[in-house]
Amino acid sequence: MAAPDSQRTDDWWRDAVIYQVYPRSFADGDGDGTGDLAGVRARLPHLAELGVDAVWFTPWYVSPLVDGGYDVADYRTIDPAFGTLGEAEKLIAEARELGIRTIVDIVPNHVSDQHAWFRAALEAGPGSPERERFHFRPGRGEHGELPPNDWPSQFSGRTWTRVPDGEWYLHLFTPEQPDLNWAHPEVRREHEDVLRFWFERGVAGVRIDSAALLAKDPALADFVEGVDPHPYIDQDELHDIYRSWRRVADEFGGVFVGEVWLPDAERFARYLRPDELHTAFNFNFLSCPWQADRLRRTIDDTLAEHAPVGAPATWVLCNHDVTRTVTRYGREDTGFDFAKKAFGTPTDLALGTRRARAAALLTLALPGSVYLYQGEELGLPEADIPRERIQDPMHFRSGGVDPGRDGCRVPLPWAADAPYCGFGSETEPWLPQPEGWAAYAADRQSADPASMLSLYREALRLRRSTEGFGDGPLDWLPAPEGVLAFRRAGGTVCVVNLSAAPVDLPAHRAVLLVSGALDGSGRLPADTAVWLRA
Ligand code: GLC
């Protein structure tokens, strides 16, 4: 249950609204075309006014940026393109003064090939202790010319790369992201130290990248479709790793959110047992099409799988890896699936935006915490990045078939009339802003009560000040086909109309907020949501 500010306790994360900052694209403080910490510090008032409880920063560490910073060369240093450690400390403190906690992103599955450990491993050669921190193996075939196994990559292509001395090393993502060997005690010790390092700097939580991939089948046996356990997803050893991480977090009152993509609800919930991770992202909700029955089933399954372990659910519509919500909801297929991404998929942005507004009210009314990806509060669409400007390795590794993830990473528009929409750059930003971006600028939306930004601000304000939002029970109410209606403990009712025709509202005392407008007879139009006081 959302408590008034004065009573918010250590359990803040059970009903928090957490804003995801992709630092490269949030705001540019020094004008060089890349977002940075100075930019974030200058824009903290935007986040405070929006009313979020915490900010999750995608990796800001030293990185060659082969995978947008998820290729970390040093977990304790800020990339000079973003700023300095001193600035990060100031940012954490300034945000906290505004009531905003900080969550950092830790990438434990792999490091950059520029990380000191990997460079030492290359230099030290086969059989060395330095190589044991990674997965180096001789190849198969007569001359070791074949990779040690056939594991499929998380990004298309091979998971093994051969080095000049003939050995191969494992990388579930790009060759520039060698996987660490989590059976090695130094790997475990080092990460626990890194967690301490950031908790000591005042961060309140840690997002764990690719959290279900760290442990590997020790035999590195070939992948056999349909045979459990998968050789590198959801291995049982992971739970022991997260139990010791939890002991570190508990020293500081820190919390975890795991990036756990697992279709099996029972296996997923195991990560959320009371001595493991506090929360994990709910990707089933993010992937779910805009259909009442499918959404209801996903919501019910989510709540049912979290209940036995006592963990709050998380709700997320978008992040830096997936298609922007207004674009996805305006397509014929409104679900999200990495495998289905293609260039030129048509979308109806007006329809998608109507649905995204309704989805915002749905999401913010559900029990648990909510993640809000930067630019969603502006209703930004997925941008078509010209092929020659694409930077995402997912695009290149697919042989140019997958458009990649840059379309949701475009530098934010802050001021309609400023160069580069007020992103702050004096030269062209690292990714081009599409035609018409100024129409989405925060300053323009701020002044418009009908804008997406105004809707989010008002919804967050109400969610915070109204009893019964956040963690707690949800009761479904009878509703016509294609309509979701539920009541929260404080008596607030949320109705979402996913059918094609307007519907009558249930009896109520007041309308708190509508994602669109009620029709002349007070009915709720298609693709619209409302919060009512019952
Ligand atoms: C996670 C990140 C993604 C990154 C990948 C490899 O899925 O969200 O952006 O490419 O891990 O680190």
Side-chain angles (χ1 to χ4, degrees):
M1 191 178 291
D5 283 358
S6 57
Q7 291 164 28
R8 288 174 88 87
T9 62
D10 287 353
D11 276 357
W12 64 274
W13 47 276
R14 297 191 74 93
D15 55 37
V17 176
I18 298 153
Y19 187 93
Q20 180 190 354
V21 167
Y22 192 76
R24 236 178 151 185
S25 301
F26 185 73
D28 182 0
D30 65 3
D32 67 352
T34 292
D36 48 37
L37 301 191
V40 181
R41 287 172 69 194
R43 295 288 177 187
L44 281 176
H46 171 79
L47 301 180
E49 204 176 334
L50 185 56
V52 300
D53 302 294
V55 174
W56 148 36
F57 291 96
T58 61
W60 53 15
Y61 320 105
V62 171
S63 164
L65 293 178
V66 170
D67 183 19
Y70 284 95
D71 46 321
V72 180
D74 179 352
Y75 293 86
R76 295 179 182 80
T77 311
I78 302 291
D79 195 286
F82 295 151
T84 63
L85 184 59
E87 270 181 288
E89 289 171 342
K90 283 196 192 121
L91 169 53
I92 294 166
E94 286 162 2
R96 195 68 191 87
E97 264 167 41
L98 295 171
I100 300 171
R101 293 176 162 88
T102 296
I103 295 177
V104 293
D105 203 324
I106 296 290
V107 188
N109 180 67
H110 45 267
V111 295
S112 159
D113 62 350
Q114 299 306 308
H115 189 283
W117 278 6
F118 192 70
R119 289 158 66 137
L122 286 186
E123 199 149 304
S128 63
E130 286 85 350
R131 287 211 172 173
E132 284 169 17
R133 296 178 184 135
F134 298 89
H135 299 283
F136 276 90
R137 291 287 185 284
R140 295 198 285 199
E142 205 179 326
H143 308 287
E145 71 283 7
L146 299 172
N149 71 27
D150 67 352
W151 288 359
S153 170
Q154 292 290 302
F155 292 171
S156 22
R158 271 193 168 160
T159 51
W160 293 90
T161 290
R162 198 172 194 193
V163 299
D165 57 48
E167 279 204 327
W168 298 73
Y169 67 90
L170 175 71
H171 51 84
L172 296 185
F173 295 91
T174 71
E176 293 84 3
Q177 294 165 293
D179 278 46
L180 288 166
N181 171 14
W182 273 87
H184 197 299
E186 271 178 40
V187 171
R188 290 186 60 155
R189 204 174 321 126
E190 165 67 2
H191 279 81
E192 290 175 17
D193 279 359
V194 169
L195 292 176
R196 280 199 187 86
F197 179 89
W198 286 104
F199 284 135
E200 276 161 8
R201 272 155 191 81
V203 313
V206 170
R207 180 246 187 205
I208 309 169
D209 186 68
S210 304
L213 306 184
L214 281 46
K216 313 291 186 306
D217 161 27
L220 301 181
D222 276 344
F223 171 72
V224 188
E225 186 80 54
V227 169
D228 279 341
H230 188 285
Y232 69 75
I233 300 177
D234 188 32
Q235 292 262 313
D236 284 338
E237 286 67 29
L238 283 166
H239 299 285
D240 187 51
I241 295 171
Y242 293 133
R243 273 186 215 109
S244 50
W245 282 36
R246 178 61 180 256
R247 287 192 288 275
V248 175
D250 284 347
E251 290 169 31
F252 299 90
V255 302
F256 291 122
V257 54
E259 188 203 15
V260 182
W261 294 82
L262 284 185
D264 181 325
E266 194 273 324
R267 299 287 308 182
F268 175 88
R270 288 159 61 102
Y271 291 85
L272 302 176
R273 289 177 290 196
D275 60 346
E276 297 191 39
L277 308 182
H278 303 73
T279 56
F281 292 112
N282 181 356
F283 292 115
N284 293 337
F285 184 71
L286 181 153
S287 311
C288 188
W290 184 247
Q291 285 168 21
D293 53 341
R294 298 279 299 271
L295 278 166
R296 177 161 175 174
R297 204 177 327 134
T298 303
I299 294 166
D300 280 338
D301 289 352
T302 300
L303 297 174
E305 79 203 27
H306 283 73
V309 286
T314 67
W315 307 98
V316 52
L317 290 169
C318 191
N319 67 29
H320 65 294
D321 291 330
V322 306
T323 310
R324 285 278 188 193
T325 312
V326 300
T327 303
R328 171 163 70 90
Y329 281 155
R331 289 176 173 168
E332 196 184 324
D333 180 352
T334 51
F336 176 77
D337 185 346
F338 281 109
K340 288 200 226 150
K341 289 186 77 180
F343 281 96
T345 312
T347 185
D348 173 345
L349 281 183
L351 175 65
T353 302
R354 223 162 40 240
R355 290 175 172 170
R357 293 175 64 97
L361 294 200
L362 166 64
T363 308
L364 289 164
L366 292 171
S369 61
V370 173
Y371 283 82
L372 174 59
Y373 176 48
Q374 68 178 37
E376 288 288 290
E377 82 280 23
L378 304 177
L380 295 182
E382 183 84 0
D384 288 324
I385 308 293
R387 279 182 187 262
E388 68 282 5
R389 296 290 300 274
I390 294 180
Q391 307 216 9
D392 184 17
M394 258 186 140
H395 167 71
F396 301 111
R397 288 178 60 89
S398 73
V401 175
D402 181 336
R405 301 164 295 177
D406 293 333
C408 68
R409 299 174 176 180
V410 174
L412 294 192
W414 290 100
D417 300 322
Y420 306 114
C421 303
F423 179 59
S425 302
E426 283 147 29
T427 58
E428 181 155 37
W430 71 282
L431 278 179
Q433 295 169 316
E435 203 69 33
W437 212 230
Y440 296 96
D443 65 346
R444 210 167 264 188
Q445 295 202 35
S446 205
D448 174 4
S451 69
M452 186 71 97
L453 180 57
S454 298
L455 178 73
Y456 263 102
R457 279 183 183 155
E458 183 57 10
L460 263 59
R461 193 189 65 74
L462 280 168
R463 187 181 187 275
R464 191 179 266 256
S465 59
T466 310
E467 201 199 320
F469 278 125
D471 204 15
L474 168 152
D475 296 311
W476 291 105
L477 301 176
E481 202 178 317
V483 176
L484 299 174
F486 56 89
R487 188 202 317 265
R488 300 305 316 275
T492 305
V493 168
C494 175
V495 186
V496 192
N497 183 4
L498 296 97
S499 76
V503 292
D504 289 325
L505 292 178
H508 57 275
R509 281 194 292 139
V511 172
L512 296 176
L513 188 59
V514 199
S515 68
L518 300 179
D519 73 9
S521 337
R523 289 177 308 173
L524 185 68
D527 295 313
T528 309
V530 65
W531 288 354
L532 303 170
R533 182 166 301 133

